[in-house]
Amino acid sequence: MRQLDELPGFAIGGSQLTNMRYADDTVILADSAEKLQGLMDVVSRASEEKGLSINIAKSVTMVFSKTAQPPRCSIMINGQELKQVSSSNYLGSLLTSDSRSEQEIKRRIGIGKTAFQNIF
């Protein structure tokens, strides 16, 4: 994954961020579909060189956008298109394409209510 450090990704605070990793969970970041496809090609190639493969069934794309209908993003890995989603769970937090927290807050309130009800 060191190959990603030199590639353009998503600018945050004056730095280029291309990926976030925790254990075996990875998020690849880019500010355009073209850059994202380039990053995915590098990740796929580097993985194959190490004898690893990307699980297409567990891999998705999501476009964060303020528009009512996020733009379409077609990303391919080994000839297969990744599914584009409007929400995804990453490390226990719900991410939504509108970048809002409303659904995550409601989900956590529900978890809290269930836990409280199970006490009694």
Side-chain angles (χ1 to χ4, degrees), residues 25-92:
D25 288 323
T26 303
V27 173
I28 307 297
L29 303 165
D31 60 8
S32 73
E34 294 78 19
K35 288 180 186 176
L36 182 58
Q37 183 64 64
L39 292 169
M40 289 307 300
D41 292 343
V42 169
V43 170
S44 180
R45 194 170 32 256
S47 297
E48 288 173 4
E49 288 172 3
K50 300 292 184 188
L52 303 171
S53 62
I54 297 172
N55 187 334
I56 303 295
K58 291 183 177 182
S59 301
V60 297
T61 62
M62 183 165 38
V63 175
F64 292 94
S65 174
K66 302 253 183 228
T67 62
Q69 185 65 31
R72 180 88 177 97
C73 182
S74 177
I75 302 299
M76 307 291 281
I77 298 178
N78 297 328
Q80 291 184 282
E81 184 177 0
L82 296 180
K83 178 181 177 185
Q84 184 172 338
V85 297
S86 59
S87 66
S88 183
N89 195 319
Y90 181 67
L91 300 179

Side-chain angles (χ1 to χ4, degrees), residues 7-36:
L7 298 173
F10 191 80
I12 297 178
S15 297
Q16 286 289 318
L17 186 63
T18 58
N19 66 89
M20 297 186 306
R21 295 177 286 191
Y22 182 81
D24 64 345
D25 288 323
T26 303
V27 173
I28 307 297
L29 303 165
D31 60 8
S32 73
E34 294 78 19
K35 288 180 186 176
L36 182 58

